C-alpha cells in the first residue's frame, strides 16, 4: 500500500504524459531552433521593406508587401505557371504511375527487374537530373535532337529550351521522369494488398478486365491515389531545385515558379520583404493542401 | 484549461524571445581590434589567377604585414552574386572584399554594400591604370572598387576561310562584313558565315551594346532615360534580325551563349564571331578540340558605316569585373592594403599568366615583351587587348540593372524570334526601364 | 485458352519495354557522355556509341593532374563531406525522431495534436525562404562553411519528415504487446527500445535511407552555406563545373555519375525497404 497521500500520487496517465514530453523535448528544441525561429524571422521580415545588409533602415509596411505581391502581375502569372507545372506534373505522374503500377501488378516476365529499375530515376539526385536533362535538351548537341533527327522526325536541330511554354513542359517532363517511380511504387504496393474477392466475384458475374479495372480496382485504390496526389501536389507546387539547375527561370520567365520567384525577389532583387511575404503566401497554400491530406487520411481511417 | 493557456502563452513568450535574440540587428561599429586581423576575400573559380597563385600572393603579403592574415574563398561565377548578397546579412559581413561583375555595381551601391574608395585611389593608380577601366567600378562620380579582370569582346575571324573567299583584309564596317558573308555563303565556304551569342542571357546585351554603340546609339541618354529604343536602336536590332533571316548569321545565335560560339568557331563552321579573350586560347591553342589552330586572327571591332563616317573608330563592351570592399567590413584599412597589393603593378606583372594587368605601363617596353613571352597565347592576346580595350563601353550602372537587363534580353529575343517588331520590343523594354527607375 | 494467356503475357512484356526505355535512356546517355571525349560529345551527327571511349574524365576527378580544373581536384573531399553530413543527419533523425515519434504515436499527452500539426506545418515553408534567417544564425554561431551548419539546417526539413514517417511505422506495431509490457511495469523507454524498434526495424531502415538520400540530394542550402572544401558537398561541386562563360561538360557528366552512384546503389540494395517506406502513411495495414 502506498504511503503517499492520494492526491499527490501521479496517475499512470500523468507520468506517461511527462515521459512523452521528455521524449519529444529534444526534437522540439531542435525544431524550435532551426525551423521555427527562421520561420518567425521570415514572418517578421515580411512586414517590413527590408534590404539585405541594411536592417537598420526598415520601413514598417504592415501587410503592404502582401498586398503588393497580390496586386503584381508577375505574381499572378507565376501562380498560373506554377499551377500549370503542378497540374501537368502530378497529372502525368498519376496516369503513368497507375499504368506502370498495374503493369507490374500483372507480373509480366521480368516484372521484378522492372520494379527494381524504377528506383533509379528516383534515386538520381535532383541536380544530376536537372543537368542530365539540360544536356539532353541541348540545342546543338543534345540527345533529344540527335534521336529525333535520326528517326527522321525533325529535319533540323530544335532549340528546345528557347520557347517559354515549351521549356516549362520539358521541365515537367524531367520532373515527371524523376518522380513517377515514387507514385508507381506506392500504387503498386497498394495494388498488391487489394482484396481479391470483389474482383473475383465481379469476374464470375461476367465483368471483363476493363470493367473490373475501372469500376472496382481504381475506386479501391482511391485512398492511396489521394495520398500520393496530395504529397506530390504540395511538392510540385514548391518546386525549386530542378528549375534552378535546368533553366534558371528562363526563358522570358517561362519557368519561374512561385519558389523561384521568392528566390528572385530575395536574392536577385534584394527585396527581402517581398520575398518573405511570398514565402508565407506559399506556406499558407501548402499548409491548406496538407490539411486536406490529413482530413483524407483520418477519413480513410474511420471508414476502415 | 487555463493551465494549457498558460503553457501556450509561455511558449509564445519563449518563441518571441528567441526571435528577438536572433533577429537581424542593426550594424554596429565594433572597436578596431588590435593585434592579428583576418581578412576574408571571395574570388571566382576558374578564371584569373589560380588558387595556387593567389595563395602565393597572400603569403607574400603576409610576410610584409605579419599582422594581417588573408583567407580566400572561391565560388563558381553563377553563385557569386548570391554569395555576396547573403554575406551581407551577417554582421559583420562574412567577406571583407569580393570580386564582382560590372552589372552589379548599381544594385550593390544602392543597397549600401560597397565601400566608397574614391579617396583611397592613389595618384599613381589614377595615372597608371587604363582610363577605360575605371568605368567598371564607377557609380555616379565615386569609385567603389578596383577594376580587376579587364575584358572586352573581340572580333575574331577565320583568315584561311576569308582568303578562300577572295578577301585579304578583315572588314572595317559591319556592312562590309555582311557583304563578305554573302560571298562566303554563295561560294559554299560556310553555310552561316557569322555566329553570335544572342541567347536570352547577359551575353545578348553585351553583343547588343557593341552593335548599338557601333551605330552611334547609346543605352541611356543624358537625362538618365533609356535611349536604346530610338531610331538608331531600332535600326540596329532590325539589322540583327535581318542577318538571321538572310541566312548570314547562324540561326543558333538566338540560343547561343559564348561557349557555343567557341564550339562553332573551333569546328571551322563560322568565319566571323565576337567573343571574350578566352576564346583565343580555345580556338588557337587547344589542339584537342580546335580544328582551326593558327587560322583565327583578331581584328579591330568594326562599326557601322554611318558611324565610321562620323569619326567612330571602334567600340566594344566592357566586361570587366571589379574588386570591392564591404561597406560594413570591420577591417577596411587592412582589406584595402591587401587589395592594393594584389593590384599593384609589380604583383600583377609577376602573376600575369592568367590575368592581364590593368596598368597601362605594364604594356610598354621591356615589360610588354615580358608579358607577351609569359605564355604562347599572350603573344596574341596582349596586343589585341591593347588595341581593343581602350574602346570598351560600360553598361549603365542602374540599381535595378538585373531586372532591367532581363527586360531588354526579352525584347531582343522577341524581336529575333519575330514575336514582336524591333520597335515594339524595344519600346516595351524602355517603358519597363522607366517604370523600374521610379 | 492458354494461347490467349500467352498472347496477353507477350503483350504485357512488350509494354514493359517503353517503360524500361523511359527509365534507362537518360541515365544511359549520362554514362555514355561521361566516357566520351569532348570532341565526340560535340559532334554531329550524335555518337551514340563513342568511337574513342575514355576513362580520362573519371581519372581527372579521382587522380587529378595539373591540367585538371580546381573543382575536379577537390572532388574526393567533397564526396567525403556529403557522406559526413548525410550520415550525421540520418543518425540524429533516427535517434531524436524515434523518441518523438513514439510519444506522438502512442502516448496521449497535452498538445499532442497541436504538436503533430506544428511539425507538419514546418514542412510547408519553402526552403528558399529560410536561407537568410538561417544564414544569420550560422554566422552568429560562427558555423558558416562547416559541416555543422549543413547538418543543422538539414535537420530543419529532415527531422519533421522523419518523425512523421517513423510515427506511422510505430502505429502499425500491435499495441497489445506494448500494453502488456506496460502492465508489467516496463518503462516507456524500455518498451520503445526492446519492443517497438525491433519490430519496426525495416521501417526504420527505410526512413534512414530516405533521410540519407534527402541530405545527399540537397543543393541550395549547401550552395549558400558552404564556400570551401571544408564543407562543400557534392551537388555544389557539380554546379561549379559551369564556369562564367564555358561549361566543363565532360567533367560534369563524370561528376554526375559519381554523384548519382551512392544514392542509386544504396536504393538498389535496399529497395525492399524503400518501397515499404514509400507506402508508410499511404497504405495502412
Amino acid at each position: 500500500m502506498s504511503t503517499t497521500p492520494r492526491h499527490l500520487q501521479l496517475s499512470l496517465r500523468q507520468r506517461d504524459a511527462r515521459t512523452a514530453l521528455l521524449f519529444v523535448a529534444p526534437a522540439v528544441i531542435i525544431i524550435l531552433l532551426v525551423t521555427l525561429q527562421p520561420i518567425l524571422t521570415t514572418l517578421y521580415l515580411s512586414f517590413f521593406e527590408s534590404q539585405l545588409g541594411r536592417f537598420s533602415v526598415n520601413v514598417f509596411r504592415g501587410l503592404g508587401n502582401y498586398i503588393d505581391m497580390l496586386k503584381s502581375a508577375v505574381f499572378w502569372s507565376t501562380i498560373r505557371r506554377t499551377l500549370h507545372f503542378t497540374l501537368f506534373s502530378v497529372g502525368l505522374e498519376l496516369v503513368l504511375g497507375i499504368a506502370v503500377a498495374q503493369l507490374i501488378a500483372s507480373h509480366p516476365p521480368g516484372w521484378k527487374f522492372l520494379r527494381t529499375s524504377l528506383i533509379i530515376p528516383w534515386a538520381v539526385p535532383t541536380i544530376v537530373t536537372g543537368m542530365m536533362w539540360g544536356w539532353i535538351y541541348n540545342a546543338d548537341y543534345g540527345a533529344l535532337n540527335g534521336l529525333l533527327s535520326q528517326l527522321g522526325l525533325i529535319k533540323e536541330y530544335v532549340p528546345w529550351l528557347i520557347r517559354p511554354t515549351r521549356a516549362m513542359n520539358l521541365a515537367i517532363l524531367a520532373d515527371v521522369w524523376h518522380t513517377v517511380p515514387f507514385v508507381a511504387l506506392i500504387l503498386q504496393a497498394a495494388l498488391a494488398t487489394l482484396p481479391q474477392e470483389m474482383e473475383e466475384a465481379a469476374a464470375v458475374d461476367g465483368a471483363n478486365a476493363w470493367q473490373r479495372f475501372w469500376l472496382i480496382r481504381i475506386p479501391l485504390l482511391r485512398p492511396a491515389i489521394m495520398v500520393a496526389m496530395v504529397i506530390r501536389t504540395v511538392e510540385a507546387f514548391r518546386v525549386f531545385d530542378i528549375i534552378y539547375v535546368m533553366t534558371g527561370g528562363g526563358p522570358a520567365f517561362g519557368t519561374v515558379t512561385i519558389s523561384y520567384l521568392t528566390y528572385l525577389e530575395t536574392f536577385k532583387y534584394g527585396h527581402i520583404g517581398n520575398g518573405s511575404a511570398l514565402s508565407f503566401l506559399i506556406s499558407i497554400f501548402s499548409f491548406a493542401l496538407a490539411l486536406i491530406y490529413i482530413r483524407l487520411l483520418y477519413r480513410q481511417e474511420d471508414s476502415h | 484549461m487555463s493551465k494549457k493557456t498558460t503553457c501556450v502563452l509561455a511558449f509564445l513568450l519563449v518563441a518571441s524571445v528567441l526571435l528577438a535574440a536572433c533577429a537581424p540587428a542593426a550594424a554596429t561599429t565594433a572597436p578596431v581590434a588590435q593585434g592579428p586581423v583576418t581578412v576574408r576575400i571571395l574570388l571566382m573559380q576558374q578564371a584569373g589567377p589560380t588558387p595556387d597563385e593567389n595563395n602565393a600572393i597572400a603569403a607574400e603579403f603576409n610576410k610584409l604585414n605579419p599582422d594581417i592574415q588573408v583567407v580566400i574563398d572561391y565560388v563558381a561565377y553563377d553563385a557569386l552574386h548570391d554569395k555576396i548578397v547573403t554575406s551581407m546579412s551577417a554582421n559583420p559581413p562574412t567577406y571583407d572584399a569580393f570580386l564582382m561583375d560590372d552589372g552589379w555595381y548599381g544594385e550593390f551601391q544602392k543597397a549600401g554594400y560597397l565601400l566608397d574608395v574614391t579617396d583611397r585611389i592613389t595618384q599613381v593608380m589614377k595615372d597608371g591604370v587604363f582610363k577605360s577601366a575605371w568605368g567598371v567600378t564607377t557609380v555616379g562620380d565615386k569609385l567603389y572598387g578596383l577594376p580587376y579582370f579587364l575584358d572586352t569582346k573581340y572580333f575574331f575571324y577565320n583568315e584561311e576561310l576569308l582568303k578562300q573567299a577572295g578577301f585579304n583584309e578583315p572588314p572595317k564596317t559591319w556592312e562590309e562584313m555582311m557583304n563578305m558573308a554573302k560571298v562566303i555563303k554563295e561560294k559554299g565556304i560556310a553555310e552561316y558565315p557569322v555566329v553570335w551569342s544572342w541567347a536570352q542571357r547577359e551575353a545578348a546585351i553585351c553583343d547588343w551594346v557593341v552593335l548599338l554603340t557601333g551605330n552611334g546609339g547609346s543605352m541611356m541618354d543624358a537625362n538618365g532615360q533609356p535611349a536604346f529604343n530610338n531610331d538608331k536602336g531600332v535600326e540596329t536590332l532590325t539589322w540583327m534580325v535581318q542577318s538571321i533571316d538572310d541566312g548570314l548569321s547562324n540561326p543558333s545565335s538566338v540560343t547561343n551563349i559564348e561557349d557555343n560560339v567557341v564550339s562553332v568557331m573551333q569546328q571551322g563552321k563560322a568565319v566571323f564571331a565576337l567573343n571574350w579573350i578566352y576564346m583565343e586560347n580555345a580556338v588557337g591553342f587547344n589542339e584537342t578540340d580546335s580544328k582551326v589552330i593558327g587560322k583565327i586572327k583578331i581584328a579591330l571591332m568594326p562599326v557601322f558605316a554611318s558611324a565610321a563616317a562620323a569619326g567612330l573608330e571602334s567600340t566594344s563592351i566592357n566586361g570587366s569585373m571589379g574588386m570591392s570592399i564591404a561597406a560594413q567590413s570591420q577591417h577596411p584599412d587592412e582589406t584595402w592594403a591587401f587589395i592594393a597589393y594584389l593590384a599593384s603593378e609589380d604583383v600583377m606583372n609577376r602573376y600575369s599568366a592568367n590575368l592581364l594587368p590593368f596598368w597601362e605601363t605594364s604594356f610598354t617596353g621591356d615589360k610588354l615583351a615580358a608579358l607577351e613571352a609569359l605564355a604562347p597565347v599572350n603573344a596574341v592576346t596582349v596586343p589585341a587587348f591593347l588595341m581593343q580595350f581602350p574602346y570598351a563601353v560600360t553598361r549603365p550602372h542602374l540599381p535595378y540593372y538585373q531586372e532591367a537587363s532581363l527586360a531588354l534580353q526579352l525584347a531582343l529575343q522577341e524581336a529575333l524570334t519575330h514575336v514582336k517588331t524591333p520597335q515594339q520590343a524595344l519600346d516595351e523594354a524602355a517603358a519597363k526601364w522607366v517604370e523600374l527607375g521610379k | 485458352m492458354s494461347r490467349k494467356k500467352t498472347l496477353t503475357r507477350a503483350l504485357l512484356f512488350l509494354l514493359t519495354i517503353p517503360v524500361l526505355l523511359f527509365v534507362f535512356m537518360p541515365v544511359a546517355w549520362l554514362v555514355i557522355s561521361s566516357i566520351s571525349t569532348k570532341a565526340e560529345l560535340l559532334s554531329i551527327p550524335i555518337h551514340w556509341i563513342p568511337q574513342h571511349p575514355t576513362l580520362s574524365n573519371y581519372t581527372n576527378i579521382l587522380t587529378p593532374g595539373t591540367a585538371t580544373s580546381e573543382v575536379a581536384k577537390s572532388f574526393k573531399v567533397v564526396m567525403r563531406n556529403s557522406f559526413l553530413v548525410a550520415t550525421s543527419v540520418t543518425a540524429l533523425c533516427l535517434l531524436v525522431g524515434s523518441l518523438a515519434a513514439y510519444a506522438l504515436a502512442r502516448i496521449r499527452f497535452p498538445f499532442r495534436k497541436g504538436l503533430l500539426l506544428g511539425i507538419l506545418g514546418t514542412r510547408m515553408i519553402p526552403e528558399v525562404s529560410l536561407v537568410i534567417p538561417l544564414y544569420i544564425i550560422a554566422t552568429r554561431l560562427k558555423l558558416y562553411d562547416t559541416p555543422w551548419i549543413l547538418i543543422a539546417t538539414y535537420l530543419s526539413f529532415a527531422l519533421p519528415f522523419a518523425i512523421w514517417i517513423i510515427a506511422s511505422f510505430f502505429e502499425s506495431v500491435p499495441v497489445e504487446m506494448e500494453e502488456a509490457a506496460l502492465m508489467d511495469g516496463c518503462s516507456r523507454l524500455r518498451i520503445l527500445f526492446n519492443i517497438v524498434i525491433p519490430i519496426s526495424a525495416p521501417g526504420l531502415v527505410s526512413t534512414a535511407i530516405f533521410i540519407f538520400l534527402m541530405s545527399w540530394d540537397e543543393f541550395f542550402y549547401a550552395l549558400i552555406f558552404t564556400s570551401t572544401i571544408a564543407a562543400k558537398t557534392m551537388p555544389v561541386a557539380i554546379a561549379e563545373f559551369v564556369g562564367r562563360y564555358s561549361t566543363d561538360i565532360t567533367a560534369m557528366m563524370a561528376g554526375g555519375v559519381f554523384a548519382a552512384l551512392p544514392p542509386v546503389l544504396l536504393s538498389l540494395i535496399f529497395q525492399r525497404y524503400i518501397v515499404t517506406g514509400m507506402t508508410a502513411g499511404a497504405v495502412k495495414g
Side-chain angles (χ1 to χ4, degrees):
Chain A
M1 279 297 252
S2 160
T3 51
T4 38
R6 197 102 166 270
H7 66 279
L8 288 178
Q9 252 181 356
L10 282 175
S11 69
L12 179 64
R13 178 130 172 224
Q14 282 177 304
R15 257 184 294 144
D16 223 14
R18 264 236 294 244
T19 315
L21 286 171
L22 273 173
F23 275 20
V24 296
V28 169
I29 293 176
I30 294 181
I31 292 181
L32 266 179
L33 286 174
V34 296
T35 317
L36 190 63
Q37 197 276 336
I39 291 180
L40 290 175
T41 309
T42 308
L43 184 62
Y44 174 81
L45 286 172
S46 74
F47 297 127
F48 291 81
E49 177 179 326
S50 340
Q51 174 73 49
L52 258 186
R54 299 178 92 194
F55 291 116
S56 55
V57 190
N58 280 355
V59 176
F60 181 71
R61 299 197 63 209
L63 289 178
N65 289 331
Y66 289 88
I67 297 177
D68 278 350
M69 278 291 113
L70 290 171
K71 280 202 293 193
S72 103
V74 175
F75 174 76
W76 289 110
S77 65
T78 305
I79 290 279
R80 192 180 36 83
R81 274 188 299 266
T82 313
L83 285 176
H84 172 98
F85 181 91
T86 308
L87 267 147
F88 278 87
S89 188
V90 177
L92 264 176
E93 286 161 23
L94 214 49
V95 170
L96 290 178
I98 293 180
V100 172
Q102 178 57 65
L103 183 60
I104 296 179
S106 316
H107 290 329
W111 68 273
K112 278 211 177 127
F113 178 70
L114 180 61
R115 193 179 66 171
T116 307
S117 328
L118 267 186
I119 292 195
I120 296 179
W122 177 77
V124 171
T126 312
I127 180 168
V128 178
T129 305
M131 180 196 83
M132 184 177 71
W133 280 95
W135 175 234
I136 290 176
Y137 295 143
N138 185 282
D140 300 311
Y141 310 107
L144 184 60
N145 273 330
L147 183 68
L148 291 183
S149 76
Q150 281 184 358
L151 288 177
L153 292 169
I154 56 173
K155 270 194 293 192
E156 282 181 339
Y157 276 21
V158 177
W160 298 102
L161 296 177
I162 195 190
R163 292 207 189 287
T165 324
R166 195 163 64 194
M168 178 59 105
N169 291 332
L170 290 175
I172 292 176
L173 179 63
D175 192 55
V176 165
W177 180 85
H178 186 46
T179 52
V180 147
F182 178 74
V183 179
L185 287 172
I186 287 191
L187 294 181
Q188 180 266 135
L191 272 177
T193 62
L194 282 187
Q196 301 280 23
E197 309 86 41
M198 288 184 71
E199 288 197 48
E200 280 164 9
V204 164
D205 283 349
N208 65 30
W210 269 118
Q211 288 170 322
R212 292 204 306 273
F213 183 74
W214 281 108
L215 300 175
I216 302 179
R217 206 173 295 179
I218 297 279
L220 278 180
L221 271 183
R222 214 172 65 93
I225 293 180
M226 288 271 103
V227 165
M229 237 181 75
V230 177
I231 293 177
R232 277 299 312 150
T233 306
V234 172
E235 281 180 5
F237 192 73
R238 294 161 65 236
V239 71
F240 176 76
D241 277 11
I242 198 164
I243 303 281
Y244 182 94
V245 173
M246 226 177 90
T247 60
F253 265 50
T255 54
V256 168
T257 57
I258 200 76
S259 282
Y260 200 83
L261 184 62
T262 309
Y263 162 74
L264 283 177
E265 286 284 343
T266 310
F267 287 86
K268 293 290 184 220
Y269 305 159
H271 305 148
I272 301 196
N274 280 351
S276 305
L278 259 179
S279 311
F280 269 91
L281 289 172
I282 301 176
S283 314
I284 291 170
F285 186 86
S286 309
F287 197 55
L289 273 178
L291 281 179
I292 299 177
Y293 160 63
I294 296 183
R295 270 283 180 77
L296 284 170
L297 200 59
Y298 282 135
R299 204 188 327 154
Q300 174 199 341
E301 266 186 6
D302 292 337
S303 70
H304 272 196
Chain B
M1 258 311 133
S2 88
K3 198 169 172 203
K4 251 193 176 173
T5 332
T6 328
C7 284
V8 174
L9 286 175
F11 173 77
L12 283 176
L13 184 63
V14 170
S16 50
V17 166
L18 265 179
L19 169 62
C22 299
T28 51
T29 35
V32 177
Q34 308 297 325
V37 157
T38 303
V39 163
R40 211 164 173 157
I41 317 268
L42 182 64
L43 293 181
M44 187 174 76
Q45 199 123 20
Q46 301 210 5
T50 64
D52 287 337
E53 288 177 322
N54 281 324
N55 291 339
I57 300 177
E60 283 177 25
F61 179 77
N62 187 242
K63 270 224 201 93
L64 298 168
N65 303 278
D67 272 352
I68 309 180
Q69 180 79 17
V70 174
V71 174
I72 305 180
D73 285 353
Y74 298 90
V75 279
Y77 172 75
D78 281 338
L80 190 56
H81 179 275
D82 294 346
K83 268 295 210 261
I84 297 174
V85 163
T86 11
S87 84
M88 290 299 161
S89 59
N91 184 25
T94 314
Y95 296 105
D96 296 287
F98 37 81
L99 195 61
M100 348 189 328
D101 206 1
D102 170 56
W104 311 336
Y105 270 94
E107 175 197 343
F108 285 3
Q109 187 272 342
K110 171 123 186 273
Y113 298 162
L114 307 178
L115 190 67
D116 180 350
V117 298
T118 321
D119 298 328
R120 295 180 191 255
I121 310 281
T122 63
Q123 194 59 40
V124 174
M125 287 179 186
K126 284 191 210 155
D127 293 336
V129 176
F130 283 98
K131 300 293 178 288
S132 49
W134 294 111
V136 176
T137 58
T138 310
V139 184
D141 49 5
K142 296 216 188 321
L143 285 166
Y144 289 91
L146 282 182
Y148 197 53
F149 295 164
L150 296 184
D151 205 358
T152 182
K153 275 205 168 177
Y154 297 85
F155 182 67
F156 292 81
Y157 67 98
N158 188 321
E159 192 179 40
E160 188 189 54
L161 295 181
L162 195 60
K163 283 222 170 81
Q164 268 180 34
F167 301 104
N168 288 325
E169 292 290 320
K172 298 245 175 9
T173 67
W174 293 118
E175 287 90 342
E176 204 183 326
M177 181 191 77
M178 281 307 175
N179 288 335
M180 291 183 178
K182 278 204 199 96
V183 174
I184 293 171
K185 190 179 175 87
E186 275 158 23
K187 291 199 171 156
I189 296 172
E191 194 186 351
Y192 301 111
V194 196
V195 65
W196 311 85
S197 55
W198 292 341
Q200 196 182 324
R201 301 268 281 269
E202 191 66 24
I205 305 288
C206 292
D207 278 10
W208 168 249
V209 170
V210 173
L211 292 171
L212 177 67
T213 51
N215 200 10
S218 62
M219 289 282 259
M220 312 280 276
D221 63 22
N223 300 325
Q225 295 300 308
F228 52 77
N229 61 328
N230 61 11
D231 28 318
K232 286 277 176 216
V234 176
E235 194 181 66
T236 313
L237 188 49
T238 312
W239 180 89
M240 286 164 68
V241 179
Q242 191 68 47
S243 73
I244 302 239
D245 291 345
D246 288 343
L248 297 172
S249 290
N250 197 323
S252 72
S253 304
V254 182
T255 53
N256 281 350
I257 52 172
E258 292 90 343
D259 210 12
N260 309 117
V261 172
V262 170
S263 309
V264 175
M265 213 53 173
Q266 278 178 333
Q267 304 300 310
K269 295 224 175 92
V271 181
F272 305 106
L274 260 60
N275 217 331
W276 310 100
I277 199 58
Y278 87 103
M279 176 148 112
E280 176 56 38
N281 209 0
V283 298
F285 294 82
N286 185 332
E287 310 227 332
T288 341
D289 299 333
S290 173
K291 300 197 173 117
V292 295
I293 305 272
K295 305 189 180 143
I296 310 291
K297 295 276 185 294
I298 300 179
L300 191 63
M301 187 75 75
V303 292
F304 284 95
S306 55
L312 186 62
E313 288 171 355
S314 181
T315 176
S316 190
I317 175 85
N318 194 337
S320 308
M321 298 181 85
M323 189 76 87
S324 296
I325 302 184
Q328 320 281 9
S329 162
Q330 292 199 307
H331 313 293
D333 299 323
E334 291 87 345
T335 312
W336 175 258
F338 179 67
I339 305 285
Y341 183 75
L342 193 64
S344 65
E345 188 173 0
D346 169 54
V347 172
M348 284 195 117
N349 284 343
R350 280 186 289 124
Y351 290 96
S352 47
N354 294 298
L355 176 67
L356 290 178
F358 63 29
W359 298 90
E360 247 176 323
T361 39
S362 298
F363 292 80
T364 55
D366 289 337
K367 292 193 221 151
L368 179 58
L371 210 51
E372 290 181 356
L374 208 57
V377 67
N378 279 20
V380 178
T381 57
V382 171
F385 176 75
L386 275 177
M387 171 183 72
Q388 190 68 66
F389 191 75
Y391 296 102
V393 171
T394 319
R395 283 157 284 178
H397 282 168
L398 306 165
Y400 46 89
Y401 185 73
Q402 304 270 9
E403 286 184 82
S405 174
L406 280 174
L408 190 51
Q409 290 169 29
L410 182 59
L412 296 175
Q413 271 290 295
E414 288 176 325
L416 288 167
T417 53
H418 293 286
V419 168
K420 300 202 169 108
T421 68
Q423 182 79 63
Q424 257 181 316
L426 289 175
D427 281 342
E428 280 183 28
K432 179 81 182 170
W433 282 44
V434 169
E435 186 194 323
L436 286 169
K438 291 215 173 92
Chain C
M1 208 47 190
S2 86
R3 190 135 165 258
K4 186 180 179 198
K5 220 176 173 197
T6 329
L7 212 63
T8 327
R9 275 179 75 76
L11 193 66
L12 284 176
F13 178 69
L14 279 180
L15 282 176
T16 65
I17 303 207
V19 179
L20 286 172
L21 283 177
F22 181 66
V23 162
F24 279 112
M25 269 165 55
V27 179
W29 181 238
L30 175 70
V31 175
I32 292 176
S33 298
S34 71
I35 55 173
S36 307
T37 60
K38 186 158 177 217
E40 284 216 69
L41 272 189
L42 304 183
S43 50
I44 299 173
I46 210 168
H47 289 190
W48 295 113
I49 315 268
Q51 287 164 358
H52 309 284
T54 171
L55 285 178
S56 63
N57 301 327
Y58 288 101
T59 52
N60 278 346
I61 292 182
L62 284 180
T63 54
T66 43
T68 321
S69 66
E70 289 302 318
V71 181
K73 278 186 193 162
S74 51
F75 212 71
K76 265 193 285 195
V77 180
V78 164
M79 287 283 259
R80 200 199 58 197
N81 288 342
S82 277
F83 263 112
L84 173 66
V85 171
T87 42
S88 308
V89 174
T90 307
L92 274 170
C93 280
L94 279 180
L95 189 59
V96 174
S98 297
L99 283 173
Y102 182 64
L104 287 166
R106 277 290 182 251
I107 311 179
R108 308 194 60 180
F109 61 96
F111 305 120
R112 175 171 171 252
K113 266 238 167 93
L115 210 54
L116 265 170
L117 227 59
I119 288 178
L120 184 69
T122 60
R123 291 261 301 156
M124 294 303 122
I125 194 152
E127 273 112 40
V128 184
S129 328
L130 300 185
V131 177
I132 300 291
L134 282 172
Y135 188 85
I136 296 173
I137 297 179
T139 45
R140 284 263 174 92
L141 297 177
K142 305 230 186 307
L143 289 178
Y144 176 76
D145 198 34
T146 61
W148 309 116
I149 189 59
L150 284 184
I151 295 174
T153 52
Y154 286 8
L155 282 175
S156 73
F157 55 81
L159 188 55
F161 179 77
I163 293 178
W164 175 53
I165 292 233
I166 296 179
S168 69
F169 279 119
F170 284 177
E171 268 173 28
S172 47
V173 171
V175 72
E176 301 83 34
M177 296 185 68
E178 298 177 52
E179 282 173 0
L182 271 177
M183 288 297 177
D184 285 346
C186 269
S187 73
R188 281 292 189 185
L189 201 62
R190 274 252 297 242
I191 296 178
L192 175 61
F193 279 99
N194 291 2
I195 302 178
V196 179
I197 286 187
I199 294 183
S200 36
L204 291 177
V205 174
S206 302
T207 313
I209 295 171
F210 269 113
I211 305 286
F212 186 90
L213 291 183
M214 277 171 81
S215 309
W216 188 272
D217 195 25
E218 203 289 323
F219 169 67
F220 195 62
Y221 282 10
L223 184 68
I224 298 292
F225 293 120
T226 67
S227 40
T228 68
I229 55 173
K232 213 182 281 184
T233 57
M234 176 280 312
V236 181
I238 300 225
E240 287 181 351
F241 286 122
V242 181
R244 190 175 179 204
Y245 298 127
S246 48
T247 301
D248 193 347
I249 188 87
T250 45
M252 208 164 75
M253 294 293 139
V257 172
F258 262 132
L261 269 178
V264 169
L265 284 178
L266 201 70
S267 310
L268 288 177
I269 294 174
F270 292 104
Q271 48 167 302
R272 246 188 328 129
Y273 297 103
I274 291 186
V275 178
T276 326
M278 279 179 176
T279 58
V283 179
K284 290 282 184 76

